[in-house]
């Protein structure tokens, strides 16, 4: 594997999850995404929150050097390239402000939204302008130049490649809870010599105790031999945060020995209505100069995302008439069924007089689904007719 450039840094870091800044917004999509009150206004709020975190850190540690990391999917939801020059200008100002505040370009893991097979992506552009960097790793040192942590930036789908680890040691015993179980940590135990960590953009998963489960396409850290010398994984891609601390896990292979730790920071972008969690997190990675000890330390901070109730439009209400003539509100399951039906019907052309028969043809084996679809479309027609 050909490694990208790498860096050495004496200081601390702030690590952020997926931001998904900006979507196309025009007269056909006045709020950006149909479920949102104003998606791009939320993007601007999230940029302000990133800058506020930087200012808070620098206010608390005015003499400490600082580097900012993004865990991928910095731009876009349904586009890899910003089509609005105003948005591009705002993004450039945002990244320029980070560089001016810290003295360094932001470091970025490449996510699945940061690459385009058709043209140069937004992330490519800002890398060429010197506002973003994507090194293979960053070595964090103390004031004497001794390496304490090597953070490997593992881009989306690059997780099976071997990574160039430095000498490493096992974490010290973290102890147990009163009930004998292993508790999630707000920080990591000390390591001998140098620690290797991964900042990645994949649906990582660290065992059955980890929540939320990222789904069938997850990458099981307990079986990932390419990370065998890694003791910490902080990741993006999974939008719901895994917790407010690290989950312990062990490799399943023989001789795996000590526990490792993983945490998903979550995304403040809330790209879909299902993302109604309370907040995302920011990791403060503190050097010995500010942690007050002999090792780097971790602090988990709330990001400051807007509540879901402020981001999304009110859930639409659909009334259904039962066979007995009783009118009632559709259940959550019926809402999901309706959305699935409409997605299946998307792109098909209907004669206004024959919508009902067309639905019957599309759903010949599911009369209940057809009934729900007809009721949904009738509700939309009635609403439109009423203005």
């Amino acid at each position: 594997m050909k490694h990208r450039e790498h860096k050495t840094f004496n200081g601390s870091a702030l690590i952020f999850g997926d931001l998904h800044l900006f979507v196309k917004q025009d007269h056909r999509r006045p709020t950006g995404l149909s479920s949102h009150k104003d998606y791009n206004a939320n993007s601007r709020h999230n940029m302000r929150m990133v800058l506020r975190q930087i200012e808070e850190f620098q206010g608390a540690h005015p003499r400490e050097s600082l580097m900012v990391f993004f865990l991928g999917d910095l731009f876009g939801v349904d586009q890899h390239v910003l089509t609005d020059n105003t948005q591009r200008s705002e993004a450039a100002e945002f990244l320029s402000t980070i560089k001016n505040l810290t003295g360094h370009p932001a470091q970025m893991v490449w996510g699945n939204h940061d690459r385009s097979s058709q043209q140069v992506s937004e992330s490519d552009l800002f890398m060429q302008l010197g506002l973003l960097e994507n090194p293979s790793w960053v070595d964090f040192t103390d004031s004497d130049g001794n390496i304490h942590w090597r953070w490997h930036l593992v881009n989306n789908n690059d997780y099976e490649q071997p990574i160039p680890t430095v000498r490493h040691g096992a974490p010290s015993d973290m102890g147990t809870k009163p009930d004998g179980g292993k508790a999630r940590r707000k920080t990591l135990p000390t390591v001998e010599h140098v620690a290797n960590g991964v900042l990645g953009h994949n649906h990582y998963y660290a065992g059955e105790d980890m929540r939320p489960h990222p789904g069938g396409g997850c990458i099981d850290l307990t079986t990932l031999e390419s990370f065998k010398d890694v003791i910490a994984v902080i990741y993006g891609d999974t939008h719901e945060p895994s917790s407010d601390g690290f989950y312990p896990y062990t490799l399943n292979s023989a001789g795996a020995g000590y526990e490792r730790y993983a945490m998903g920071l979550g995304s403040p972008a809330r790209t879909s209505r299902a993302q109604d969690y309370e907040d995302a997190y920011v990791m403060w990675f503190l050097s010995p100069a500010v942690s007050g000890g002999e090792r780097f330390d971790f602090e988990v901070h709330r990001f400051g995302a807007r509540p879901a109730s402020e981001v999304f439009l009110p859930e639409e209400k659909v009334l259904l008439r039962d066979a007995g003539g009783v009118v009632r509100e559709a259940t959550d399951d019926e809402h999901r069924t309706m959305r699935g039906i409409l997605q299946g019907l998307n792109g098909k052309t209907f004669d206004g007089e024959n919508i009902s028969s067309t639905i019957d043809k599309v759903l010949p084996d599911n009369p209940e689904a057809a009934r729900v679809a007809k009721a949904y479309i009738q509700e939309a027609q009635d609403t439109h007719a009423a203005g």
Side-chain angles (χ1 to χ4, degrees):
M1 177 182 178
K2 181 179 179 181
H3 295 297
R4 309 178 300 277
E5 67 168 9
H6 53 87
K7 304 175 73 68
T8 300
F9 186 66
N10 174 24
S12 299
L14 298 182
I15 305 169
F16 297 90
D18 307 18
L19 291 187
H20 287 284
L21 298 175
F22 299 121
V23 294
K24 186 175 182 180
Q25 192 168 358
D26 54 28
H27 67 282
R28 291 168 296 182
R29 302 173 63 177
T31 66
L33 297 178
S34 60
S35 57
H36 290 65
K37 294 179 179 179
D38 189 334
Y39 183 89
N40 291 329
N42 193 50
S43 289
R44 295 180 182 103
H45 168 83
N46 290 337
M47 289 191 293
R48 290 193 296 271
M49 291 301 100
V50 170
L51 299 180
R52 179 177 295 180
Q53 288 281 338
I54 295 172
E55 291 167 354
E56 288 181 1
F57 180 93
Q58 293 180 328
H61 310 291
R63 298 182 179 179
E64 177 74 353
S65 298
L66 180 65
M67 185 174 281
V68 169
F69 289 80
F70 293 111
L71 297 179
D73 284 1
L74 185 53
F75 299 107
V77 177
D78 54 359
Q79 57 183 357
H80 299 280
V81 177
L82 300 181
T83 56
D84 185 319
N85 281 336
T86 300
Q87 294 175 2
R88 184 171 289 114
S89 176
E90 291 179 86
E93 181 179 359
F94 169 62
L95 295 175
S96 296
T97 301
I98 292 175
K99 186 175 181 179
N100 292 336
L101 287 172
T102 65
H104 309 278
Q107 309 300 301
M108 178 180 171
V109 179
W110 283 71
N112 51 300
H113 284 263
D114 300 311
R115 296 171 171 174
S116 173
S117 60
Q118 306 298 320
Q119 56 184 311
V120 173
S121 71
E122 215 61 42
S123 300
D124 281 314
L125 172 64
F126 288 120
M127 286 184 66
Q128 293 172 15
L129 294 175
L131 297 176
L132 287 173
E133 293 180 339
N134 176 239
S136 282
W137 68 84
V138 179
D139 286 334
F140 279 77
T141 70
D142 58 25
S143 57
D144 295 324
N146 301 308
I147 300 173
H148 285 241
W149 276 84
R150 173 170 288 184
W151 284 107
H152 304 267
L153 278 66
V154 177
N155 294 333
N156 181 248
N157 288 334
D158 286 349
Y159 57 89
E160 292 184 339
Q161 301 287 350
I163 59 178
T165 54
V166 283
R167 62 191 187 279
H168 62 281
S172 60
D173 182 21
M174 63 183 278
T176 58
K177 296 188 295 185
D179 62 5
K182 294 283 188 179
R184 296 197 299 271
R185 295 189 64 92
K186 303 292 185 180
T187 185
L188 294 181
T190 56
V191 295
E192 182 184 357
H193 304 307
V194 177
N196 290 277
V198 161
L199 304 177
H201 186 93
N202 286 289
H203 290 300
Y204 291 117
Y205 183 53
E208 289 301 320
D209 291 335
M210 192 170 196
R211 294 293 181 270
H213 193 297
C218 65
I219 298 158
D220 189 349
L221 290 169
T222 67
T223 64
L224 198 57
E225 289 294 325
S226 59
F227 285 14
K228 64 183 177 64
D229 293 330
V230 168
I231 71 159
V233 179
I234 302 175
Y235 60 92
D237 201 15
T238 304
H239 281 202
E240 184 174 352
S242 61
S243 71
D244 60 355
F246 287 95
Y247 277 85
Y249 72 95
T250 55
L251 284 178
N252 294 338
S253 57
Y258 54 85
E259 287 183 325
R260 284 90 169 158
Y261 305 88
M263 179 179 179
L265 296 181
S267 168
R270 301 193 192 276
T271 56
S272 73
R273 191 182 294 278
Q275 295 168 21
D276 58 357
Y277 39 82
E278 188 173 359
D279 204 347
Y281 295 105
V282 182
M283 184 66 76
W284 288 30
F285 179 62
L286 304 175
S287 77
V290 298
S291 68
E294 298 181 353
R295 61 183 174 88
F296 279 78
D297 211 343
F298 297 80
E299 290 183 1
V300 180
H301 290 244
R302 297 274 295 263
F303 178 86
R306 281 178 169 168
S309 60
E310 295 182 11
V311 172
F312 298 109
L313 292 166
E315 185 81 61
E316 61 184 353
K317 292 184 179 180
V318 176
L319 300 179
L320 301 178
R321 189 183 301 276
D322 288 336
V326 177
V327 176
R328 61 177 177 81
E329 189 174 326
T331 66
D332 290 342
D333 286 342
E334 287 169 331
H335 268 289
R336 284 189 287 271
T337 299
M338 286 183 248
R339 292 193 187 101
I341 291 167
L342 290 180
Q343 289 173 356
L345 297 176
N346 187 32
K348 293 182 170 60
T349 301
F350 301 129
D351 181 325
E353 299 298 322
N354 296 315
I355 290 179
S356 179
S357 60
T358 303
I359 291 174
D360 290 332
K361 291 178 182 178
V362 172
L363 300 166
D365 302 322
N366 195 336
E368 178 61 19
R371 182 187 68 79
V372 172
K374 293 173 189 177
Y376 186 86
I377 290 173
Q378 185 63 51
E379 172 74 14
Q381 288 178 323
D382 293 344
T383 300
H384 178 73

